Amino acid sequence: MITFDSSNSSLETQMPAKATSINSHVSPWLAPLVYPLGRYLILPFYFRSIEVLGQEHIPREGPVILAPTHRSRWDSQMLPYSTGRYVTGRDLRFMVSVNEVKGLQGWFIRRLGGFPVDPKHPAIATLRHGVELLLDGQMFVIFPEGGIFQDNQVHPLKPGLARLAIQAESSHPGLDVKIVPMSIRYHPCIPRWGSRVKITIGSPLSAADYCTGAGKKDAQLLTADLETALKRIDRE
């Protein structure tokens, strides 16, 4: 699972009339099989304990971007565990590296809400699909640091998440996009069998509060505030 770093100040103005279509969906038969298996069998067996704080901060409806720290490939299991259908009644969508959407793994990812993006050259269709998910009131995941860092530090955030949120909100005033900071910490830092996990969910930021019409500066301010929020909850 990854994020993207788009330099476009306006996604819509860059979108050609005929762009390649990107879709994502959650399989109505596969998800009810996979998610209980992870929640009640795999995660409790592998980890000694999983502590989740702040679940009351997760919006139960409306467009939401979850913005977690990224410290392990286990994060893709921790997010549904702490925010998904058994907590909010909602399934997640993920932006996933094109390298991960291959073979059997890719087959599962595409049917559990994942859709591919090239982090070095994100296609306009991919970015547009992110906006479409927000317009549809979905909850999806972007890792704002852009990669996995196993030093228990919050690294500088990429601006793509903020630009996407502000683009969606600016093009549809009143949409009320929420960005939820999340800290996922493993003890030890590199998880192994018997590790402990602490997930802290912070108060959401509202994209509407950053839509002043200043474009790039709005995204920079939202990115800075999100980074501050992540560092704060990561120390709790």
Side-chain angles (χ1 to χ4, degrees):
M1 309 299 175
I2 55 92
T3 186
F4 58 87
D5 183 2
S6 169
S7 60
N8 298 333
S9 59
S10 174
L11 300 179
E12 293 295 335
T13 58
Q14 301 292 327
M15 291 180 184
K18 294 183 179 180
T20 302
S21 176
I22 296 290
N23 295 298
S24 64
H25 75 284
V26 177
S27 169
W29 65 268
L30 184 61
L33 295 176
V34 171
Y35 286 136
L37 182 65
R39 183 178 185 84
Y40 298 112
L41 182 60
I42 296 175
L43 294 180
F45 172 79
Y46 192 82
F47 292 96
R48 180 187 305 176
S49 65
I50 303 175
E51 180 184 15
V52 183
L53 304 175
Q55 288 176 319
E56 68 275 9
H57 295 310
I58 308 170
R60 265 45 179 182
E61 58 184 17
V64 176
I65 300 177
L66 299 179
T69 56
H70 201 8
R71 282 149 181 179
S72 169
R73 292 193 179 277
W74 282 104
D75 295 347
S76 62
Q77 297 294 317
M78 294 300 167
L79 288 161
Y81 178 91
S82 59
T83 68
R85 59 170 57 190
Y86 293 100
V87 178
T88 63
R90 310 179 71 177
D91 287 322
L92 310 183
R93 307 296 180 92
F94 295 85
M95 280 190 175
V96 184
S97 168
V98 292
N99 296 325
E100 297 184 57
V101 192
K102 295 180 180 180
L104 181 61
Q105 173 180 284
W107 186 89
F108 276 95
I109 287 174
R110 289 182 180 275
R111 286 158 180 78
L112 294 174
F115 59 99
V117 60
D118 184 339
K120 295 182 179 179
H121 305 286
I124 293 301
T126 302
L127 309 183
R128 180 167 58 187
H129 184 58
V131 173
E132 290 171 348
L133 288 175
L134 294 176
L135 297 182
D136 192 41
Q138 298 291 331
M139 182 162 67
F140 80 103
V141 177
I142 301 178
F143 293 101
E145 293 168 292
I148 294 177
F149 299 96
Q150 296 183 312
D151 56 4
N152 275 343
Q153 301 294 320
V154 176
H155 290 251
L157 308 189
K158 307 298 184 183
L161 183 156
R163 289 175 178 162
L164 181 63
I166 289 174
Q167 173 62 33
E169 189 70 44
S170 297
S171 61
H172 294 78
L175 184 61
D176 197 24
V177 178
K178 301 294 187 184
I179 303 99
V180 181
M182 296 182 61
S183 163
I184 305 176
R185 294 178 69 93
Y186 299 91
H187 304 278
C189 296
I190 300 176
R192 58 176 183 262
W193 185 81
S195 296
R196 293 177 290 112
V197 189
K198 182 178 180 181
I199 303 170
T200 306
I201 303 166
S203 300
L205 304 175
S206 295
D209 293 340
Y210 299 86
C211 294
T212 69
K216 187 176 181 179
K217 290 184 178 179
D218 291 342
Q220 289 174 339
L221 181 57
L222 174 52
T223 300
D225 286 354
L226 177 58
E227 185 172 324
T228 298
L230 280 172
K231 288 180 177 178
R232 182 176 62 251
I233 64 173
D234 199 52
R235 292 191 297 264
E236 293 179 355

